[in-house]
């Protein structure tokens, strides 16, 4: 593969319109998944998505949002 995609299903009603409106808990969870996947497949880009089941609607979650919630990056002093 040339990239890895992570899709997490969420059932909020109503779902947010923009990635910046996603609950921080969901972003932390997806950032943790991305961190694990990056460790397992180094060198491959990892794309993250939320699939809102009330649509259904697939939402791209940009790297900069996930970077702010990365479990390792945010524990370094």
């Amino acid at each position: 593969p040339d990239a890895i995609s992570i899709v997490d299903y969420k059932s909020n009603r109503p779902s947010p319109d923009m990635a910046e409106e996603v609950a921080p808990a969901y972003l932390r969870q997806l950032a943790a998944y991305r961190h694990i996947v990056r460790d397992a497949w180094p060198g491959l880009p990892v794309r993250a998505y939320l699939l809102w089941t009330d649509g259904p609607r697939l939402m791209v979650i940009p790297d900069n949002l996930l970077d702010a919630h990365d479990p390792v990056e945010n524990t370094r002093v």
Side-chain angles (χ1 to χ4, degrees):
D2 58 351
I4 305 287
S5 293
I6 301 169
V7 180
D8 192 6
Y9 293 72
K10 296 296 181 195
S11 58
N12 278 35
R13 292 178 190 269
S15 60
D17 291 324
M18 299 181 341
E20 293 77 16
E21 298 171 343
V22 171
Y26 293 166
L27 296 174
R28 284 191 300 272
Q29 181 182 26
L30 200 52
Y33 295 159
R34 183 186 67 164
H35 187 84
I36 292 166
V37 170
R38 281 182 170 171
D39 282 350
W41 288 277
L44 285 178
V46 179
R47 298 180 187 115
Y49 304 89
L50 290 174
L51 180 60
W52 300 102
T53 61
D54 71 336
R57 187 168 51 93
L58 187 65
M59 177 183 282
V60 175
I61 306 299
D63 281 336
N64 65 326
L65 270 181
L66 295 179
D67 292 345
H69 293 86
D70 186 279
V72 174
E73 293 300 319
N74 292 312
T75 58
R76 293 185 180 158
V77 179

